[in-house]
Amino acid sequence: MAEHQVDEVVEFLAGARRVAVLTGAGISAESGVPTFRGNDGLWKQYRAETLATPEAFERDPVLVWEWYDWRRSLIAPVAPNAGHRVLAGWESLFGDLAVITQNVDGLHAKAGSRNIVELHGNIWKLRCTREGTVEENRNTPLPRIPPVCPNCGSLFRPHIVWFGESLDPVVFDRAYGLSEACQAMFVIGTSAVVQPAASLPLAASRAGAKIIEVNIEPTPLTPQADYFFPGKAGEVLPLLDRRLRDRRPASGRERPPDRRA
Ligand code: BV8
């Protein structure tokens, strides 16, 4: 990582208070969770985009549930990694930090983050396809596939946003508001392809925020990022964290001039 870039970012963040972090599957890769587009993203030769759709569920709910049950059994035993833990610690360091995640694995919460926006839902939540009621269920494996609603006997579906489905407008509006209000946005471990999540860094940049991207390889967003740190999230974030803590007291007592004062 270019030392002068680290210095600049640490200097800028030393006085920043409102920080947003957009994460994708890459931040969970070092915990052993398969990414979507990486070579490990396949299940029984199916691509995620073909299984994570209402059409696939309509066609074969057992197949789709077998896939989610496989992912749940994979995610249940894994622990958050250093990348997740640094972000959890930054909630007190910055005073006003929000994690906006595309991940459904729940690892940010498991690491201790509290201010989380789950754009695409959560794999530990089931929703009744008839009543719309949502319940938490952490059974792995699921005792019955497909799981059904104990109240009305209708199919449960994962409480997850599938391709072709709109995000919950309340959730997306919150994410958009945080993106427009932040002074800096970290974009970590995402291929920055899936919409509308990939539009959030552009909204933040348009509103004057610094975009700091962390990824093992460049993405379509990299040309618009102010800083690009090539590397694994679980290695880059602890390094930035150490430098930041050397430079600044906890929870932003030092305030920079607010550009929207
Ligand atoms: C919608 C839940 C209204 C499911 C998910 C405009 C143009 C083109 C297409 C569209 C468009 N608008 C809408 C669409 C359609 C679609 C879309 O964007 N398609 C893509 C494929 C082009 N969007 C939708 O359908 C959205 N709904 O827009 O509704 C509408 C509908 C139709 C048409 C118009 C409007 C709903 C999208 C949400 C779908 N659900 N997840 C589940 O999990 O089961 S999306 C899912 O895929 C993830 O949540 C995530 O968002 C995405 C995967 O991306 P990443 O997380 O970035 O993961 P990926 O594997 O791709 O990349 C990992 C990255 O990490 C890589 O860059 C890698 O280099 C890096 N990395 C790896 N290891 C590390 C690392 N980085 C750092 N450290 C490491 N160790």
Side-chain angles (χ1 to χ4, degrees):
M1 287 188 352
E3 259 320 294
H4 77 276
Q5 284 223 329
V6 176
D7 295 342
E8 272 181 39
V9 165
V10 167
E11 202 46 42
F12 176 81
L13 291 172
R17 186 174 159 68
R18 285 186 306 284
V19 175
V21 183
L22 177 67
T23 65
I27 197 165
S28 295
E30 292 154 86
S31 293
V33 179
T35 64
F36 266 69
R37 282 178 179 70
N39 302 335
D40 56 359
L42 284 181
W43 178 75
K44 290 186 182 175
Q45 305 316 313
Y46 290 93
R47 294 208 59 73
E49 284 91 346
T50 53
L51 285 168
T53 65
E55 294 78 20
F57 189 72
E58 190 67 33
R59 213 175 23 250
D60 190 343
V62 170
L63 177 70
V64 171
W65 265 118
E66 283 172 347
W67 181 51
Y68 280 100
D69 196 34
W70 171 74
R71 290 172 64 189
R72 287 162 54 101
S73 304
L74 234 161
I75 295 168
V78 307
N81 60 64
H84 296 109
R85 293 194 295 274
V86 163
L87 295 179
W90 282 3
E91 278 190 11
S92 54
L93 187 69
F94 286 104
D96 185 352
L97 178 129
V99 171
I100 302 168
T101 189
Q102 299 168 77
N103 302 342
V104 297
D105 57 31
L107 289 179
H108 284 299
K110 204 171 180 180
S113 286
R114 290 288 159 268
N115 195 7
I116 305 168
V117 179
E118 292 181 314
L119 289 174
H120 298 157
N122 186 299
I123 205 165
W124 303 114
K125 293 180 179 169
L126 281 56
R127 185 166 86 232
C128 172
T129 52
R130 183 158 166 272
E131 302 164 317
T133 48
V134 174
E135 68 167 54
E136 176 135 341
N137 175 312
R138 289 180 174 270
N139 300 334
T140 53
L142 284 163
R144 184 184 184 286
I145 290 214
V148 297
C149 172
N151 192 40
C152 73
S154 302
L155 267 184
F156 266 137
R157 60 162 282 174
H159 186 51
I160 280 177
V161 180
W162 283 331
F163 289 95
E165 292 185 323
S166 299
L167 278 59
D168 176 335
V170 174
V171 170
F172 188 68
D173 288 353
R174 181 163 171 237
Y176 205 87
L178 289 164
S179 302
E180 289 200 312
C182 68
Q183 295 159 294
M185 175 179 272
F186 281 87
V187 181
I188 304 170
T190 182
S191 54
V193 169
V194 170
Q195 297 294 350
S199 67
L200 295 171
L202 306 178
S205 182
R206 272 196 307 273
K210 293 271 183 235
I211 305 300
I212 304 154
E213 187 180 26
V214 178
N215 197 303
I216 56 176
E217 62 186 22
T219 72
L221 177 72
T222 308
Q224 278 111 340
D226 299 283
Y227 300 96
F228 174 69
F229 292 126
K232 293 182 171 183
E235 294 163 7
V236 171
L237 292 176
L239 187 147
L240 281 175
D241 183 55
R242 279 193 297 280
R243 295 289 305 279
L244 262 173
R245 290 180 188 280
D246 295 348
R247 175 67 188 73
R248 65 173 281 148
S251 73
R253 268 183 286 286
E254 230 185 287
R255 282 207 202 306
D258 185 333
R259 56 188 161 78
R260 273 184 295 259

